[in-house]
């Protein structure tokens, strides 16, 4: 009887051990991930995983700058800051200075002007009582010519030569007749262009002039004609030369004061034919 009771108690002990082992195995599998060892024990004072993540954000292992910050409950989304676009502006380029602008003064010239001076050749009285005088050096003037300025000292001063051929005309008279004076000036000389600014120059010229083919003619009560012989005289001129932007910088304007000397002779008589006037020139460099 005692042997049977001992055998029964031993079976109960074995059955209790088997049941305890079966309960402990699933608990260990749930506590540790697959393939990993058992997690170390924590005390009640250890921070929870949530606390450690919050502390890490403030500690040395904080998120890198620019990383998104996790939102908390009730927090509205924040818009990303706008970055101003970078616009590339190319550096300004210097305007190319063409040779014509650097060294002007070579090309075709058209001159227009008005002159006065010299001895009085005739006087006409008009019906209104006013008088008109025909002078040896006076008249309106038009010419065509050219300038050539090949020698330059840097971009400051240029030297060259030029010439022109033109016509000068003056007339007086009334209802009973007219008296006119015609001549054809030929002139030339050496000139200089002195730069004042990028487009402005001082123009100086010295040379000679002779008026050929001169004639004094009349109609009506003063009909008739008389040829004139003119001497070679001195030419002096000074003014301003401006390079325009017209025609791609190939146009220029010249405004000068011109003075010439000379003498007119007819029938053994000689009169002074000095003249002074303003000349406007249009210059084109092809």
């Amino acid at each position: 009887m005692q042997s049977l009771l001992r055998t029964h108690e031993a079976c109960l002990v074995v059955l209790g051990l088997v049941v305890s082992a079966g309960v402990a195995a699933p608990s260990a599998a749930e506590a540790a991930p697959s393939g990993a060892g058992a997690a170390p024990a924590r005390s009640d004072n250890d921070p929870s995983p949530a606390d450690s993540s919050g502390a890490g954000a403030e500690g040395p292992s904080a998120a890198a700058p620019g990383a998104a910050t996790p939102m908390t409950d009730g927090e509205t989304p924040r818009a990303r800051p706008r970055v101003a676009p970078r616009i590339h502006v190319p550096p300004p380029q210097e305007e190319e200075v063409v040779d014509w602008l650097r060294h002007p003064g070579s090309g075709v010239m058209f001159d227009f002007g008005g002159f006065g001076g010299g001895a009085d050749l005739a006087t006409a009285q008009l019906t209104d009582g006013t008088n008109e005088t025909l002078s040896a050096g006076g008249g309106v003037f038009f010419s065509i010519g050219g300038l050539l300025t090949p020698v330059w000292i840097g971009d400051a001063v240029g030297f060259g030569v030029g010439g022109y051929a033109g016509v000068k005309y003056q007339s007086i008279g009334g209802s009973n007749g007219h008296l006119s004076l015609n001549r054809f000036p030929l002139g030339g000389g050496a000139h200089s262009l002195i730069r004042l600014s990028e487009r402005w120059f001082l123009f100086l010229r010295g040379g000679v002039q002779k008026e050929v083919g001169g004639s004094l003619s009349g109609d009506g009560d003063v009909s008739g004609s008389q040829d004139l012989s003119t001497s070679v005289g001195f030419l002096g001129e000074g003014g301003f030369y401006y390079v325009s932007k017209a025609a791609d910088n190939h146009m220029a304007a010249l405004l000068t004061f011109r003075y010439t000397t000379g003498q007119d002779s007819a029938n053994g008589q000689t009169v002074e034919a000095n003249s002074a006037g303003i000349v406007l020139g249009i210059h084109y460099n092809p």
Side-chain angles (χ1 to χ4, degrees), residues 133-208:
T133 302
L134 187 71
S135 60
V140 293
F141 172 80
F142 168 76
S143 72
I144 182 172
L147 294 177
L148 180 64
T149 313
V151 180
W152 283 84
I153 301 177
D155 295 339
V157 183
F159 299 94
V161 295
Y164 59 86
V167 58
K168 184 190 277 188
Y169 175 81
Q170 186 181 18
S171 176
I172 62 172
S175 58
N176 61 336
H178 292 82
L179 189 64
S180 60
L181 177 62
N182 300 304
R183 48 268 203 238
F184 301 92
L186 301 175
H191 66 265
S192 175
L193 284 173
I194 303 173
R195 186 182 295 275
L196 303 177
S197 66
E198 182 183 35
R199 294 180 179 271
W200 284 95
F201 296 82
L202 179 65
F203 179 84
L204 300 174
R205 174 158 62 179
V208 296

Side-chain angles (χ1 to χ4, degrees), residues 16 25 64 88-89 108 112 131 137 165 171 175 219 224 226 239 243 251 260 276 283:
H88 175 69
V89 179
V108 181
F112 308 86
N131 294 328
S171 176
S175 58
D219 57 18
Q226 177 67 54
V243 180
M251 295 293 294
T260 60
H283 190 199

Side-chain angles (χ1 to χ4, degrees), residues 11-191:
C11 290
L12 291 176
V13 171
V14 171
L15 181 60
L17 291 175
V18 170
V19 171
S20 300
V23 173
S27 300
E30 292 177 358
S34 176
R42 292 188 299 108
S43 66
D44 294 338
N45 294 331
D46 292 340
S48 64
D51 295 338
S52 62
S53 62
E58 298 176 358
S61 60
T69 305
M71 295 174 53
T72 60
D73 294 340
E75 184 179 358
T76 58
R78 297 181 182 178
R80 292 186 177 181
R82 291 187 176 182
V83 179
R86 295 182 180 180
I87 302 176
H88 175 69
V89 179
Q93 298 180 354
E94 296 183 0
E95 182 181 358
E96 181 181 358
V97 180
V98 296
D99 289 340
W100 165 237
L101 184 56
R102 294 178 58 242
H103 299 155
S106 297
V108 181
M109 178 76 73
F110 299 92
D111 289 339
F112 308 86
F115 290 85
D120 293 340
L121 300 179
T123 301
Q125 186 174 18
L126 305 181
T127 56
D128 60 359
T130 60
N131 294 328
E132 289 185 345
T133 302
L134 187 71
S135 60
V140 293
F141 172 80
F142 168 76
S143 72
I144 182 172
L147 294 177
L148 180 64
T149 313
V151 180
W152 283 84
I153 301 177
D155 295 339
V157 183
F159 299 94
V161 295
Y164 59 86
V167 58
K168 184 190 277 188
Y169 175 81
Q170 186 181 18
S171 176
I172 62 172
S175 58
N176 61 336
H178 292 82
L179 189 64
S180 60
L181 177 62
N182 300 304
R183 48 268 203 238
F184 301 92
L186 301 175
H191 66 265

